[in-house]
Amino acid sequence: MKKLLDLISEEMQQAFEAAGYDKELGKVSLSNRPDLCEYQCNGAMAGAKKYKKAPIMIANEVAEKLADSKVFSDVSAVAPGFLNLKVKEAFVTDYLRNMRADKKFGLEEAKEPKKIVIDYGGPNVAKPLHVGHLRSAIIGESIKRINRFAGHEVIGDIHLGDWGLQMGLIITELQKRQPDLIYFDENFEGDYPKEPPFTISELEEIYPTASKKSKEDENYKAEAMEATFKLQSGVRGYRALWNHILAVSVADLKRNYENLNVDFDLWKGESSVHDLIPDMVAYMKDGGYARISEGALVVDVKEETDTKEIPPCMILKSDGASLYNTTDLATIMERMKEINPDEIIYVVDKRQELYFEQVFRCARKTKLVKPETELKFLGFGTMNGKDGKPFKTREGGVMRLENLIKEINEEMYKKITENRTVEEEEARKTAQVVALSAVKYGDLSNQASKDYIFDIDRFISFEGDTGPYILYTIVRIKSILNKYKEQGGSIEGVELQDAVSESEKALMLEITKFNSMMEAAVEEIAPHKICAYIYDLANAFNRFYHETKILAEEDKEKQKGWVALLILTRDILETCIDLLGFSAPERM
Ligand code: ARG
């Protein structure tokens, strides 16, 4: 469907042409004086020079041509030559009817659908999830949904950190604690036990302990590196232990992500591409892309136009061990081979920007990707506490994601049960749904690349630019619709009607912005545009609601029109929050 502004502009362009002027002058934009008009056109000002005419004269001539317009109810030429515009109610109603009939509310699906891989989440196996992982999960999930909605084929890959030193650390610590475990017996040739020799809570305690020890003790660290190397080179017992670590950890991760309403199509990780590394290395050497530098294998990626130093991309360390780079490049190779995407988007902390610059350049230079394959880095900022420093627990430690979510759920529960009696189970469920909206909206309403302050009190508020406010608005609409049905009204076949009040028209005009907003959100990979839109939409709805006695209306036809408007508003709001990755309860 055409965007409303384009339709309006077309009408204006015809008028410019009919008055003998260049039609390009007829571009219409949203009014920046909403107190005076809904839209405006500054074309007469722009044309004054070319036509050596006072802009007000041009504006007057154009306005005359629009006297019988089906689009405009009011076209005023005002000094020095602006065209202030209002659109006809029927024109808006018509537009909304078409939106309602379209399953994407007027957003045109991509004409050439792309295949897009989104690399997000990126948790590290056996390390507890912390708030840093929260952003990647929230933003990545939303971007996945937005692109799917726009008609692209999207594959979300969690890209587990499951192959690095943390695995060696855990194995080392396990060996210290349980040296007799069969996994450490080099002569053992039988089948290893099916049951893991630890639980998730043990695992979560083992890693921090090991990590701390390795920082204090050189020898311990050396042992962990040795264990990592043995694991990577395929020592049976180590691989078997690693499989246990992975299984236990992934089960826990799945539960955590499920609570966040985040899900991945692929649960691959750094380890998935381990076997591809030798071939990739050979390819880079044979192609003459890589060179040896101080024993390590590197690919130069600096370019003449660089204004800052871009170090070479290291493929193998001097001891032959692979690095973060190596698995990322091999993953690109694998994705190209198995998925052949048009685009890969990485949703990672923006502090990794330089790293990804190196990886992308290396992938291009070594032709791991096609020239037209797009590699995009979507770096997000830090989530800070109220003190403006990276978010911590009250004691100053790293906040575990699970505890953070628990805390917010609890706060929300208190809020919901504050002044009323709600059944415990329902209240808990509702609290969880609303709390998730608070966290996700609090994050997504900021431009991803910016740091933001995680302010629980503000985020859980039912007023202001928050997730709970949006949900509250949706629930309000649902409740009106339910009452309408209880009064015997039917929502079947209700039709939108022309606005009869200013607030109703304002709501309708707000709704019309959906497709242009979505286009921008897709194009700029910007979920915050959806947040801004639904906040405006919710405000417009609430103003209309406060000024309109919907349920008490005697004129049943008029009431039906409002019911249709409510349904459309609700459907769009719910579609939008789904794109952001949360949902609304029935009551709250
Ligand atoms: N596991 C990494 C971390 O915690 C993030 C992974 C990002 N994705 C990637 N392909 N490197 O920092």
Side-chain angles (χ1 to χ4, degrees):
M1 233 171 108
K2 277 189 185 164
K3 286 173 273 185
L4 188 85
L5 263 179
D6 290 344
L7 288 177
I8 298 176
S9 290
E10 274 169 24
E11 177 82 357
M12 185 53 83
Q13 284 163 347
Q14 278 173 20
F16 267 86
E17 206 168 31
Y21 300 104
D22 182 359
K23 70 187 244 231
E24 290 313 312
L25 295 170
K27 234 182 119 36
V28 174
S29 57
L30 281 176
S31 161
N32 45 29
R33 284 293 302 275
D35 52 325
L36 296 180
C37 57
E38 294 156 353
Y39 300 91
Q40 65 186 54
C41 171
N42 303 343
M45 307 286 290
K49 217 171 176 181
K50 180 171 173 192
Y51 294 101
K52 298 196 179 64
K53 225 182 204 181
I56 191 71
M57 288 175 70
I58 301 178
N60 273 323
E61 288 165 33
V62 171
E64 236 166 72
K65 298 284 175 206
L66 288 165
D68 303 318
S69 166
K70 286 200 174 62
V71 174
F72 298 112
S73 57
D74 185 24
V75 180
S76 322
V78 295
F82 297 114
L83 284 157
N84 285 353
L85 312 165
K86 282 193 178 146
V87 287
K88 284 207 158 111
E89 277 70 10
F91 168 71
V92 182
T93 312
D94 222 36
Y95 193 81
L96 291 199
R97 282 189 185 148
N98 289 332
M99 277 182 79
R100 225 186 134 196
D102 184 271
K103 67 179 193 304
K104 297 273 162 85
F105 304 112
L107 176 72
E108 277 181 31
E109 290 201 4
K111 287 194 186 63
E112 291 169 32
K114 287 192 275 193
K115 208 188 248 187
I116 305 174
V117 170
I118 304 188
D119 182 314
Y120 72 109
N124 299 312
V125 163
K127 289 195 203 175
L129 287 170
H130 59 78
V131 296
H133 293 115
L134 183 65
R135 293 214 71 190
S136 181
I138 292 179
I139 300 167
E141 180 69 21
S142 176
I143 291 171
K144 182 183 78 181
R145 293 171 182 223
I146 291 171
N147 276 295
R148 273 193 191 145
F149 187 80
H152 299 295
E153 183 188 340
V154 190
I155 297 132
D157 185 359
I158 188 166
H159 199 74
L160 295 166
D162 60 356
W163 208 229
L165 184 62
Q166 88 263 24
M167 309 311 295
L169 282 165
I170 293 167
I171 295 176
T172 303
E173 183 59 23
L174 267 174
Q175 188 166 19
K176 301 253 181 246
R177 294 181 186 193
Q178 306 181 54
D180 297 333
L181 278 181
I182 191 79
Y183 305 91
F184 301 117
D185 179 352
E186 283 170 24
N187 299 317
F188 180 72
E189 286 181 353
D191 290 337
Y192 290 106
K194 293 223 157 33
E195 286 305 306
F198 42 71
T199 63
I200 183 67
S201 22
E202 281 165 325
L203 204 53
E204 288 188 341
E205 177 267 319
I206 290 173
Y207 172 72
T209 310
S211 163
K212 191 158 167 269
K213 283 192 191 171
S214 78
K215 282 182 192 121
E216 292 160 356
D217 180 352
E218 276 298 313
N219 291 334
Y220 191 97
K221 185 164 181 197
E223 277 179 65
M225 282 167 75
E226 164 82 16
T228 312
F229 185 74
K230 274 178 151 175
L231 165 70
Q232 295 188 351
S233 32
V235 171
R236 263 186 91 232
Y238 283 48
R239 284 285 175 104
L241 256 186
W242 176 83
N243 275 323
H244 283 313
I245 301 174
L246 199 68
V248 169
S249 184
V250 163
D252 186 58
L253 286 171
K254 288 205 162 144
R255 189 178 53 79
N256 270 291
Y257 283 115
E258 205 172 297
N259 284 337
L260 289 175
N261 206 4
V262 168
D263 83 293
F264 300 93
D265 306 295
L266 296 177
W267 280 77
K268 295 203 166 199
E270 295 167 355
S271 68
S272 319
V273 293
H274 181 70
D275 295 342
L276 300 177
I277 293 174
D279 278 354
M280 183 180 80
V281 167
Y283 165 80
M284 286 183 175
K285 281 185 184 159
D286 296 348
Y289 300 119
R291 68 180 173 91
I292 305 287
S293 163
E294 292 169 40
L297 187 72
V298 302
V299 173
D300 290 311
V301 293
K302 64 173 192 284
E303 286 162 14
E304 269 174 27
T305 48
D306 287 343
T307 50
K308 61 175 191 257
E309 175 79 17
I310 309 276
C313 192
M314 197 188 285
I315 310 295
L316 289 179
K317 286 203 275 196
S318 51
D319 63 1
S322 58
L323 311 99
Y324 190 40
N325 282 323
T326 326
T327 45
D328 258 324
L329 286 163
T331 304
I332 292 181
M333 193 169 98
E334 191 199 32
R335 285 176 180 155
M336 291 310 293
K337 208 166 97 205
E338 293 191 351
I339 303 173
N340 191 23
D342 301 293
E343 188 172 325
I344 308 178
I345 305 176
Y346 293 82
V347 187
V348 185
D349 191 312
K350 75 173 175 211
R351 283 170 289 196
Q352 293 188 29
E353 181 159 20
L354 174 64
Y355 164 78
F356 275 99
E357 178 71 44
Q358 289 174 295
V359 169
F360 292 175
R361 285 187 185 190
C362 184
R364 288 213 180 283
K365 184 170 174 183
T366 59
K367 304 199 166 65
L368 287 183
V369 294
K370 294 186 277 191
E372 65 275 18
T373 313
E374 287 188 77
L375 299 172
K376 290 187 182 161
F377 175 69
L378 189 80
F380 51 81
T382 308
M383 181 174 133
N384 289 323
K386 276 192 195 166
D387 57 0
K389 302 208 185 85
F391 194 84
K392 292 264 158 58
T393 59
R394 268 184 222 105
E395 293 72 34
V398 176
M399 176 65 113
R400 287 182 52 170
L401 188 56
E402 213 171 350
N403 296 342
L404 176 80
I405 300 291
K406 245 186 228 149
E407 214 172 280
I408 303 168
N409 285 350
E410 199 51 44
E411 288 294 319
M412 193 51 88
Y413 176 76
K414 271 194 236 149
K415 212 181 163 90
I416 286 179
T417 48
E418 225 160 45
N419 301 317
R420 28 193 173 161
T421 40
V422 198
E423 208 198 311
E424 159 93 17
E425 201 188 302
E426 188 191 343
R428 290 270 167 214
K429 254 201 204 133
T430 307
Q432 209 181 336
V433 172
V434 184
L436 190 63
S437 81
V439 175
K440 289 198 168 186
Y441 190 95
D443 189 306
L444 294 169
S445 53
N446 303 285
Q447 207 177 313
S449 62
K450 298 227 167 89
D451 297 348
Y452 76 97
I453 293 188
F454 190 88
D455 181 346
I456 291 198
D457 299 328
R458 188 170 75 77
F459 288 3
I460 66 172
S461 169
F462 285 14
E463 281 149 41
D465 191 6
T466 70
Y469 170 66
I470 305 293
L471 298 196
Y472 197 80
T473 306
I474 295 173
V475 167
R476 170 173 275 165
I477 298 177
K478 289 183 179 179
S479 138
I480 304 169
L481 291 174
N482 283 336
K483 287 201 188 112
Y484 172 75
K485 281 189 259 177
E486 278 160 25
Q487 289 177 0
S490 164
I491 61 167
E492 295 302 321
V494 287
E495 274 296 342
L496 288 157
Q497 287 164 32
D498 295 353
V500 290
S501 70
E502 197 271 318
S503 65
E504 184 182 9
K505 188 174 181 195
L507 169 60
M508 292 172 91
L509 287 177
E510 214 46 63
I511 293 176
T512 63
K513 296 176 188 164
F514 179 78
N515 54 3
S516 64
M517 175 284 293
M518 276 305 296
E519 261 184 40
V522 175
E523 179 61 32
E524 296 163 40
I525 328 186
H528 70 274
K529 304 230 154 170
I530 300 182
C531 293
Y533 169 76
I534 54 178
Y535 180 53
D536 287 346
L537 183 55
N539 281 337
F541 171 77
N542 284 312
R543 193 156 72 83
F544 162 70
Y545 165 80
H546 287 299
E547 289 177 10
T548 317
K549 296 206 168 31
I550 302 170
L551 289 169
E553 178 57 47
E554 309 247 303
D555 180 339
K556 291 297 155 196
E557 281 313 301
K558 193 189 261 181
Q559 189 181 41
K560 275 189 196 162
W562 287 337
V563 167
L565 184 57
L566 258 58
I567 292 173
L568 180 61
T569 308
R570 177 202 63 192
D571 289 349
I572 290 186
L573 285 172
E574 285 205 307
T575 299
C576 286
I577 61 171
D578 186 55
L579 295 176
L580 298 173
F582 55 90
S583 57
E586 285 309 302
R587 291 185 285 183
M588 66 190 261

